[in-house]
Amino acid sequence: MLSDVMEDYLKAIYTLQLEHGPPVSTSDIAEYLGKTPPTVTSMVGKLEDRGLLDREKYKGVELTDEGETVALEVLRHHRLLEAYLTEHLDYSWSEVHDEADALEHHISEEFERRVAAALGEPEVDPHGDPIPSADLTPPDSSDTSALTDHGVGDRLVVSRVSDRDPAELEYLSEAGVTPGTTIEITDIAPFGMVTVRVVDNDREQSLPESVARTIRVRPPDEPCDNEEVSPA
Amino acid sequence: MLSDVMEDYLKAIYTLQLEHGPPVSTSDIAEYLGKTPPTVTSMVGKLEDRGLLDREKYKGVELTDEGETVALEVLRHHRLLEAYLTEHLDYSWSEVHDEADALEHHISEEFERRVAAALGEPEVDPHGDPIPSADLTPPDSSDTSALTDHGVGDRLVVSRVSDRDPAELEYLSEAGVTPGTTIEITDIAPFGMVTVRVVDNDREQSLPESVARTIRVRPPDEPCDNEEVSPA
DNA sequence: ACCCCGGATTAGACGTGTCTAAACCAAATA
DNA sequence: TATTTGGTTTAGACACGTCTAATCCGGGGT
């Protein structure tokens, strides 16, 4: 019923909503998807007609519950695929994103169920992103915060890293900064550079602010159900 | 570069060429793909422009080597996926076709390699259809013949069954008529019904001519490399 | 040799998703 | 309050893949 393209828009809007909160602007969507603003205007018009989002002209856009459900379905496909490729087909951590993007629109409900079963109904993908549950209720990340919201001396456990840029992923993977890793912030330079110490291997790692902003962390003590992460 | 739709046309033409030999008519392609003849005319025009097939107006169409290579690539994807779904995701014999059709256009070369490796570089899919090799040379089925080309008393080994109709597959699977099965033709009725005895379980099975026509068989003695087939 | 009929092609249209160029609104600035 | 400016939307175009309706071949029967 919905085209692949529409699903991509809904996924993008969902992601942007999480990052910056609604309303999401035309140009942000255009930027994110690599389309021109008029294209986005035309597409959100169609999505509005289908009741998948609410739009206020010249303001921006917000997903309806129905639109959010579709976005979560696609996201569930994406993250299950990432987990499966890593776990069962020997993909490295940074290779899975594009493959999952290509496949996420074309797998059946049956396939989704079987992949989830083969993985043991996982709750996070290899990057630490939460996999929406089969009933498509919105996952809650309120127990995590951005690395950049913390200060020197704070001891934290990495919860998620962004999966947008493969090079960045490669770098973080090399550095040992992966979901589950305990780190300590050793320095914050005024020009936007965060230095952390990886507790396991005692190595120091400097991260540009743009990267640090995409890393989600949680306090080290309280146990959490995000541990069954498999490295690349 | 090529669209999914174009790949579907090339795959269809390849299949029809194997069945009836070139040239393949517009209406046969239309019938096979569930499109109207004008749509097919327009599409084969584009495929001809790209050098993927040769066309003689009002006669029909024949794949070029390049077009055949594309068809084999898609077929390799399709059949590797069928084998993988059956082997590793617990799909039954008759469920895999549609899933493979949906995914075959969207997997990367990398994915193809890893799936082939996970399966141990198989040479046939669960239906017994030959999987084109990675170098995309045309597979040769000259060692097999149609069941309908044989007579009463002939003892044969099933080599392949068609994967077009899930109900038919279900039926054959129930009946124990699967690749590798040894059968003996016990009767051929004049009104198009072939009766075979499955040697393993000694059951008799009547098959309409339309089904028998799609079953490929080979002589029972000489060993062949088509044995590593997994049942549903 | 002529005609006819079935299959093939052309003509013209439509929906989707995209673009560029032009018009437009609204919020910040003067 | 008037104006500038930057993001948004409208207008118009195009490629793709599909359809229906109309036209056109070409082989088989008379």
Side-chain angles (χ1 to χ4, degrees):
Chain A
M1 199 78 284
L2 289 186
S3 67
D4 301 359
V5 173
M6 286 178 173
E7 291 184 352
D8 281 334
Y9 275 84
L10 295 173
K11 189 175 63 150
I13 294 164
Y14 178 84
T15 305
L16 292 169
Q17 253 177 219
L18 281 192
E19 279 175 19
H20 312 301
V24 178
S25 75
T26 301
S27 46
D28 281 355
I29 301 170
E31 157 91 36
Y32 189 92
L33 290 174
K35 306 281 164 68
T36 62
T39 302
V40 173
T41 298
S42 138
M43 192 68 221
V44 296
K46 288 170 194 165
L47 294 171
E48 188 184 28
D49 292 345
R50 295 193 185 219
L52 297 164
L53 51 78
D54 293 323
R55 182 161 85 114
E56 204 174 343
K57 272 197 183 170
Y58 296 98
K59 282 294 190 311
V61 122
E62 175 169 6
L63 294 182
T64 60
D65 286 353
E66 195 187 338
E68 186 179 72
T69 299
V70 174
L72 288 170
E73 170 82 7
V74 179
L75 227 39
R76 177 168 164 83
H77 288 181
H78 183 92
R79 292 178 181 164
L80 282 173
L81 284 164
E82 288 196 335
Y84 190 87
L85 295 173
T86 304
E87 182 93 12
H88 290 285
L89 284 173
D90 203 33
Y91 271 78
S92 85
W93 225 45
S94 51
E95 287 172 317
V96 293
H97 184 77
D98 290 348
E99 196 82 49
D101 258 358
L103 296 177
E104 64 190 7
H105 308 295
H106 305 105
I107 68 174
S108 67
E109 291 304 290
E110 191 58 33
F111 187 92
E112 175 194 316
R113 275 193 291 277
R114 290 180 194 228
V115 164
L119 291 165
E121 313 294 338
E123 293 181 3
V124 292
D125 76 3
H127 317 296
D129 287 320
I131 298 176
S133 59
D135 62 11
L136 302 178
T137 50
D140 177 25
S141 341
S142 58
D143 56 337
T144 71
S145 49
L147 177 55
T148 43
D149 291 343
H150 294 263
V152 171
D154 288 5
R155 199 189 185 86
L156 303 155
V157 174
V158 174
S159 183
R160 319 162 39 180
V161 301
S162 165
D163 70 341
R164 284 306 299 286
D165 181 359
E168 183 183 317
L169 270 180
E170 202 68 69
Y171 177 77
L172 290 174
S173 175
E174 288 294 318
V177 179
T178 63
T181 312
T182 302
I183 59 175
E184 200 176 287
I185 301 181
T186 56
D187 189 51
I188 299 181
F191 47 87
M193 177 78 95
V194 180
T195 304
V196 303
R197 188 168 61 79
V198 177
V199 171
D200 291 358
N201 62 16
D202 211 48
R203 273 169 58 195
E204 292 230 329
Q205 207 62 47
S206 290
L207 306 169
E209 196 270 350
S210 63
V211 172
R213 194 156 18 97
T214 68
I215 299 177
R216 307 286 301 181
V217 294
R218 55 185 152 84
D221 12 280
E222 45 214 330
C224 165
D225 55 2
N226 286 14
E227 296 308 325
E228 66 286 356
V229 174
S230 51
Chain B
M1 200 76 291
L2 288 186
S3 68
D4 300 0
V5 174
M6 285 177 173
E7 290 184 352
D8 280 334
Y9 275 84
L10 294 173
K11 188 175 65 150
I13 294 164
Y14 179 83
T15 305
L16 292 169
Q17 253 177 218
L18 281 191
E19 278 176 21
H20 312 301
V24 179
S25 74
T26 300
S27 47
D28 281 355
I29 300 170
E31 157 92 36
Y32 189 92
L33 291 173
K35 306 281 164 70
T36 62
T39 302
V40 173
T41 299
S42 139
M43 192 68 222
V44 297
K46 288 170 193 165
L47 294 170
E48 188 184 28
D49 292 345
R50 295 193 184 218
L52 297 164
L53 51 78
D54 293 322
R55 181 160 87 112
E56 203 172 348
K57 271 197 183 170
Y58 296 98
K59 283 293 192 311
V61 121
E62 177 171 5
L63 293 181
T64 60
D65 287 352
E66 194 187 339
E68 185 179 71
T69 299
V70 173
L72 288 170
E73 171 80 8
V74 178
L75 227 40
R76 177 168 164 82
H77 289 181
H78 183 93
R79 291 177 181 166
L80 282 173
L81 284 163
E82 288 196 334
Y84 190 88
L85 295 173
T86 304
E87 182 93 12
H88 291 285
L89 284 173
D90 203 35
Y91 271 77
S92 85
W93 224 46
S94 51
E95 287 172 317
V96 293
H97 184 77
D98 291 348
E99 196 80 50
D101 258 358
L103 296 178
E104 64 189 5
H105 307 296
H106 305 105
I107 67 175
S108 67
E109 292 304 289
E110 191 58 32
F111 188 92
E112 176 195 315
R113 276 193 291 277
R114 290 182 192 228
V115 165
L119 290 165
E121 314 293 339
E123 292 181 3
V124 292
D125 76 3
H127 316 296
D129 287 320
I131 299 175
S133 59
D135 62 12
L136 301 178
T137 50
D140 177 24
S141 346
S142 59
D143 57 338
T144 72
S145 48
L147 176 55
T148 42
D149 290 343
H150 294 263
V152 170
D154 288 6
R155 199 188 185 88
L156 303 156
V157 174
V158 174
S159 182
R160 319 162 39 180
V161 301
S162 164
D163 69 342
R164 284 304 301 285
D165 181 358
E168 182 182 317
L169 270 180
E170 203 67 69
Y171 177 78
L172 290 174
S173 174
E174 285 295 317
V177 179
T178 62
T181 311
T182 302
I183 60 175
E184 198 175 288
I185 300 180
T186 56
D187 189 50
I188 298 180
F191 47 87
M193 177 77 97
V194 181
T195 304
V196 304
R197 188 169 61 80
V198 177
V199 172
D200 292 358
N201 61 16
D202 211 48
R203 273 169 57 194
E204 293 229 327
Q205 207 62 47
S206 290
L207 306 169
E209 196 270 349
S210 63
V211 172
R213 194 154 20 94
T214 67
I215 298 175
R216 307 285 301 181
V217 295
R218 55 186 153 80
D221 13 276
E222 44 214 329
C224 165
D225 55 1
N226 286 12
E227 295 308 325
E228 65 286 357
V229 173
S230 52

